[in-house]
Amino acid sequence: MSFKEVVEAIRNMHGTVLVLTHHNADIDAMASAVALSQGLSQLGLDTSIGVAESVAKVAKKVVGDVKILINPDCSKYDNVILVDTSVPEQLAAVKNLRADIIIDHHPAGPLVQAAKVVCVEPFSRSTAQIVYSLLKDMDCTVDKSLATVLAAGIVADTAHLRFAGLPEFEVLTELLRIGADYGEVLSLLTTPADPSDIIAGLKAASRMQLWKVDDILIAISKLGSHEAPAARALQKLGADIAIVAAIKEDEVRISSRASDRIAEYEIDLSEIFNKVGELIGGTGGGHPTAGSANGTDTKAVDNAFEFILKAISKKVGKPYKKLD
Ligand SMILES: [Mn+2]
């Protein structure tokens, strides 16, 4: 289906419209939904915005005081336009889920099958840039504030332009010409950190033990809670691998974060934490650069730490040494 046909299909819509997006909706999802719904209103359509479950904390600023429906009922609308996803699992809480039109930049998911109009562009780095092109072709007015919101979507989904290519920079330049305020874009993208997360990070740092395997720095610490943000904080400080245990009365949780360079040594934290789970009388797993485990054997924590160091040492083929 050509872009022109998509524009025509949207233009020829009648009745009420629900612009719907995925659970824990991020900045790109919300920017796309807000901008599209404003464009549709300009065309005289009665438009609502809905999300599954919730809007992510980081996207609250982009939404501002625009009304967002949580878990709407699709059967109440003549048209449902789905943005930034085509995967039903991300919309499980939505009632009578249906997608007539799909606008997305992820690889096509199962909902594409039944949709009448599909505009899926996996080469676009954001849905916001697709929405901008649609609005332009529909002759909608993109004012300064809408341009700022759309720019926020692009900047967010490209990790502050790190993954942006020529198409993203071109759209961004157009948005800046319209009057998007880049300072405002950056402020839409920043959310103040949770104070308890900051404290956890600082405490973990003050109690940390530092180890080295070849040139890999491993930071290990113990806390009472907030192990995941603390591990992230230690990684931000420069540890290649950060491991933090939260030890409670009858429960222990261990969380880890690592930089991508551990892949060079074929270290997979999900594999290691699978075993860690067994060691602490529970279960574990995760991702190659973010392993975690929960268990009930609070006395096994030091054993678990030693196991992790040994596992890393084995992969690298060098001993582990403590740094004082
Ligand atoms: Mn997106």
Side-chain angles (χ1 to χ4, degrees):
M1 181 172 268
S2 76
F3 205 71
K4 218 173 153 194
E5 286 170 300
V6 175
V7 170
E8 279 316 302
I10 295 176
R11 262 209 187 124
N12 293 331
M13 279 190 317
H14 296 285
T16 54
V17 185
L18 174 68
V19 178
L20 180 66
T21 191
H22 56 80
H23 69 73
N24 197 28
D26 57 21
I27 293 173
D28 181 42
M30 289 323 299
S32 300
V34 167
L36 184 61
S37 93
Q38 286 200 21
L40 297 175
S41 305
Q42 288 179 27
L43 299 178
L45 290 156
D46 176 2
T47 311
S48 308
I49 304 174
V51 303
E53 287 169 52
S54 63
V55 173
K57 214 169 142 193
V58 289
K60 295 253 153 92
K61 279 197 203 168
V62 164
V63 172
D65 42 22
V66 175
K67 194 180 168 209
I68 308 294
L69 305 170
I70 304 291
N71 304 333
D73 184 346
C74 293
S75 68
K76 288 186 181 158
Y77 299 88
D78 299 315
N79 307 277
V80 179
I81 306 184
L82 184 60
V83 295
D84 205 42
T85 183
S86 57
V87 179
E89 286 78 10
Q90 297 197 317
L91 298 150
V94 172
K95 292 164 204 96
N96 300 305
L97 178 62
R98 180 184 104 231
D100 305 314
I101 299 179
I102 296 176
I103 302 164
D104 189 17
H105 71 118
H106 299 97
L111 292 172
V112 161
Q113 307 280 316
K116 283 173 255 166
V117 177
V118 176
C119 181
V120 171
E121 297 187 349
F123 297 110
S124 291
R125 295 295 192 178
S126 67
T127 298
Q129 73 202 71
I130 306 173
V131 167
Y132 173 66
S133 301
L134 287 170
L135 293 177
K136 237 183 16 174
D137 288 9
M138 293 191 301
D139 299 316
C140 293
T141 309
V142 177
D143 64 8
K144 280 183 185 188
S145 77
L146 213 49
T148 303
V149 163
L150 285 165
I154 297 169
V155 177
D157 256 28
T158 55
H160 285 241
L161 302 176
R162 223 176 303 155
F163 306 121
L166 186 57
E168 288 72 33
F169 281 107
E170 276 175 341
V171 172
L172 202 57
T173 308
E174 278 188 47
L175 293 170
L176 291 168
R177 276 209 185 98
I178 292 168
D181 178 340
Y182 196 63
E184 171 73 13
V185 169
L186 293 179
S187 102
L188 286 174
L189 262 51
T190 45
T191 27
D194 190 321
S196 50
D197 288 355
I198 295 173
I199 292 168
L202 292 170
K203 275 191 189 170
S206 75
R207 297 171 190 175
M208 136 187 113
Q209 280 191 0
L210 203 50
W211 298 79
K212 217 176 168 191
V213 176
D214 197 17
D215 65 344
I216 298 177
L217 284 169
I218 305 151
I220 296 180
S221 196
K222 289 178 188 172
L223 293 174
S225 64
H226 292 83
E227 66 287 353
R232 240 176 280 134
L234 294 183
Q235 195 214 340
K236 259 191 211 157
L237 273 179
D240 294 298
I241 302 174
I243 304 152
V244 179
I247 305 164
K248 300 181 184 279
E249 217 170 292
D250 45 15
E251 187 201 5
V252 56
R253 296 195 304 253
I254 308 179
S255 185
S256 66
R257 290 288 183 284
S259 58
D260 292 330
R261 68 180 283 259
I262 65 158
E264 291 166 28
Y265 297 94
E266 286 169 29
I267 298 168
D268 181 338
L269 291 178
S270 68
E271 233 170 63
I272 295 175
F273 273 74
N274 198 323
K275 277 269 161 27
V276 169
E278 285 172 31
L279 285 173
I280 58 174
T283 56
H287 305 281
T289 57
S292 63
N294 305 305
T296 50
D297 190 354
T298 54
K299 293 196 176 66
V301 174
D302 289 322
N303 262 342
F305 285 162
E306 200 186 338
F307 169 81
I308 296 167
L309 289 169
K310 277 184 180 157
I312 295 167
S313 161
K314 204 174 157 196
K315 283 278 183 190
V316 179
K318 297 270 166 67
Y320 57 95
K321 282 183 231 154
K322 193 163 178 227
L323 297 182
D324 294 310

